[in-house]
Amino acid sequence: TVSCVSGSSVQLFDNLSATGTAVICASGTATLIAATLSGGVHASMNAQQTDSAGNNSAASGNLSITIDTTADAAAIKEVLAMQERAWDQGDITQFMSGYAAEVCFIGRRGRTCGREAVARNYQKNYPNKAAMGDLRFEITELRPAGEGFAWMTGNWELVRTTDTLGGGFSLLWQKGTEGWRILRDHTY
């Protein structure tokens, strides 16, 4: 929130580049919301005011902010670890709690959307603990993908007494009221 002249517009800048949408000043203050900023230090954040005649003020003094993505990464990795533990215990219901209600799973057999439909496919293809085996995930990349979204790639391995299967995955994560959940799962 910044002080401003009522009726003027205020724009936030990150190192001279406009970020977010200019807002109209009401009652002497404006709350600025930045567009999605990458993780790390943003050392040159400032604001500029434009009055109703189109005159620009000098930029405000720079403010340094740090976007910390490590807490989100840790929370996402914990959901994936919970899924691995649930799978190894034969608990598909708990495993599915890592998915958003509106998840879409894309695999060799096509696309299935909705947590219940995806769960039915897992139950059909892995009817018991022996069929489920020991699941292992290896994360190769985890990146922010916009406000409240993250992108993960990695490998999976399923070790069973009769065979070992494996492949890769790409997951789109979304942060919602339940925390981080998988919105799209492309497993191959």
Side-chain angles (χ1 to χ4, degrees):
T1 300
V2 296
S3 297
C4 52
V5 175
S6 292
S8 64
S9 67
V10 182
Q11 176 69 56
L12 184 65
F13 290 86
D14 180 10
N15 197 26
L16 304 177
S17 297
T19 181
T21 304
V23 296
I24 302 300
C25 182
S27 304
T29 62
T31 299
L32 303 175
I33 300 173
T36 301
L37 297 172
S38 61
V41 176
H42 296 264
S44 299
M45 299 295 295
N46 59 61
Q48 186 175 35
Q49 182 173 235
T50 304
D51 66 19
S52 58
N55 300 308
N56 292 326
S57 71
S60 67
N62 284 340
L63 174 68
S64 179
I65 64 168
T66 301
I67 306 296
D68 181 6
T69 59
T70 58
D72 287 334
I76 289 168
K77 289 176 181 179
E78 178 49 39
V79 172
L80 197 66
M82 174 280 299
Q83 284 191 301
E84 196 173 319
R85 289 188 304 271
W87 186 272
D88 293 347
Q89 295 167 2
D91 189 348
I92 289 178
T93 301
Q94 181 64 26
F95 175 83
M96 291 303 301
S97 71
Y99 284 102
E102 59 276 6
V103 65
C104 287
F105 180 94
I106 302 102
R108 290 187 320 267
R109 296 183 182 129
R111 177 181 167 116
T112 303
C113 293
R115 188 168 32 206
E116 297 305 317
V118 173
R120 282 192 299 274
N121 281 350
Y122 276 125
Q123 291 162 340
K124 175 182 163 193
N125 294 314
Y126 303 97
N128 56 49
K129 193 168 178 341
M132 292 175 77
D134 178 27
L135 180 62
R136 299 176 191 150
F137 292 123
E138 175 192 10
I139 299 167
T140 56
E141 179 181 38
L142 176 57
R143 303 179 60 84
E147 184 65 30
F149 291 91
W151 181 254
M152 175 187 282
T153 60
N155 299 304
W156 61 274
E157 183 179 58
L158 183 61
V159 178
R160 303 186 288 195
T161 55
T162 58
D163 61 1
T164 298
L165 307 173
F169 62 82
S170 300
L171 305 175
L172 176 64
W173 293 81
Q174 182 178 31
K175 188 175 187 179
T177 57
E178 297 178 303
W180 285 99
R181 296 294 180 263
I182 300 166
L183 185 62
R184 296 293 181 268
D185 180 343
H186 175 217
T187 295
Y188 50 94

